[in-house]
Amino acid sequence: RSLPFRTDPSPYHVWLSEIMLQQTRVSAALPYYQRFLAALPDIPALAACGEEKLHKLWEGLGYYSRVRNLQKAARIVCEQYGGQLPADYDALRALPGIGDYTAGAIASISFGLAVPAVDGNVLRVFSRLYNDPGVITEPAVKKAFTARVMEHQPPEKAGDYNQALMELGALICVPNGAPLCEKCPLAAVCRARAAGTAPELPHKAAPKPRRMEPVTLALLESPAGFLLQQRPAKGLLAGLWQPVLWEGEALAAGEVLARLRAMGLDTGCAAPDALPAAKHIFSHIEWHMSGILGRGRILSGSSGLNGLSIVLAEQQTLVLVQFLLTAVQINSNSGKGTGNSSQNSDHSDQARFLHRFVHSFLIETVFQLLSSACWLLLYPFLSKITTIQVKKAEISYHKLLI
């Protein structure tokens, strides 16, 4: 395939693409790759980028530890290597967030070094090529496969060879179904194809079951915006913002309100609405969420607020849309039920939830449209005021208004 990080395989471009393509399909990652490079065109720019901007550029890709390690490594590269990635496999491997595969990809593709770059695609190709039933997730098996990969690597074409194997695994020797053996250039020498075992390979260790965890959240609207809380600097979703929530606990509305008051929040007298149940799946954990939708404000002089802040404007809209989309999805799915009284009650709660959010969203949108319209109407008049004469100093200057 013709991909931007192949047509211009500079070390920074290959590094960024490989980090983005971890847990992300090429088609999904490409727009993020292009936007990221437009904003941060080189390693010094990445090293100097502010945290909020960095997270915003990565928003939608998930696994935010990847981009935090990317910046940590960029700062080390600026301090130790003058802002350029080192042309050395071991030095690359020592950088945060760079493992054996990524170091091999950068070293072979960008610097032409004869080193392996063995990912899941390559392991699958060699498992079938040799009809090897070894469990590819075991370190000893992966080490043996890597040695086989290097037996065939032409030293003068290491980067092309590694990319060819990646591409073969991604497009022809595909996972989760029958490989496209009739299109494979290695079909004549593939032992698994000859034995009829290709669809069964490779063998992997059984994944560990995800841990189920209840989560209770409070989506609170204050007079100035929504109340959000920043997560700790380490751990799951490190440093990101969220509604006030409690992990590992399924709390009743009364207990939620009591805890909010103990944190120094005035939740008013009106009973909160119940949020629709929702589920979010991480690689190792599954959140089953419930909660309340209400109003609240931070009391002056309160302690124990645990990082609460007020979020306005664009960020407020993002929070609104996030929960609105979740509610729409759940509401459409629950509409397929039998229509008994408990379901009708759930639907009415969800309808009230949606109505309240749509109302807020429309008000915000109309306000922004009206503001834009006013500027457009005033522009012809304001643009004429371009020069102001300062008599005493006899200086004229131009003032850009729009």
Side-chain angles (χ1 to χ4, degrees), residues 306-323:
N306 197 24
L308 283 171
S309 330
I310 294 174
V311 176
L312 300 170
E314 181 184 359
Q315 290 174 298
Q316 174 183 339
T317 306
L318 289 175
V319 173
L320 172 66
V321 173
Q322 172 92 22
F323 281 87

Side-chain angles (χ1 to χ4, degrees), residues 7 24 31 40 50 59 80 91 101 118 136-137 172 179 183 189 191 220 228 299 312 321 327 329 355 377 381 399:
T7 55
T24 308
L40 306 174
E59 188 177 69
Q80 298 184 10
Y101 165 73
V118 178
I136 62 171
T137 48
I172 303 296
K183 297 181 179 180
V189 295
R191 297 177 185 176
L220 300 174
L228 294 186
L299 295 174
L312 300 170
V321 173
Q329 182 180 16
H355 179 269
L377 289 172
F381 304 101
K399 184 176 182 182

Side-chain angles (χ1 to χ4, degrees), residues 216-222 226-229 242-246 249 251-273 275 290-309:
T216 304
L217 64 90
L219 185 58
L220 300 174
E221 186 179 5
S222 79
F226 285 89
L227 290 170
L228 294 186
Q229 186 179 45
Q242 64 184 17
V244 185
L245 62 78
W246 295 269
E249 298 181 275
L251 303 175
E255 175 64 19
V256 173
L257 292 175
R259 292 193 181 191
L260 292 172
R261 294 186 188 108
M263 292 169 64
L265 289 170
D266 178 7
T267 56
C269 300
D273 295 328
L275 289 171
S290 60
I292 64 167
L293 168 67
R295 301 189 68 82
R297 63 186 182 88
I298 300 174
L299 295 174
S300 59
S302 297
S303 59
L305 291 179
N306 197 24
L308 283 171
S309 330

Side-chain angles (χ1 to χ4, degrees), residues 6 122 125 157-171 185:
R6 287 183 179 162
V122 177
V125 168
K157 293 285 188 180
D160 290 345
Y161 170 79
N162 286 342
Q163 289 181 92
L165 289 177
M166 298 173 200
E167 201 77 340
L168 188 62
L171 301 181

Side-chain angles (χ1 to χ4, degrees), residues 68 229-240 242 247 306:
R68 285 192 289 270
Q229 186 179 45
Q230 191 170 26
R231 293 183 66 86
K234 295 183 179 180
L236 182 67
L237 304 175
L240 300 185
Q242 64 184 17
E247 296 174 44
N306 197 24

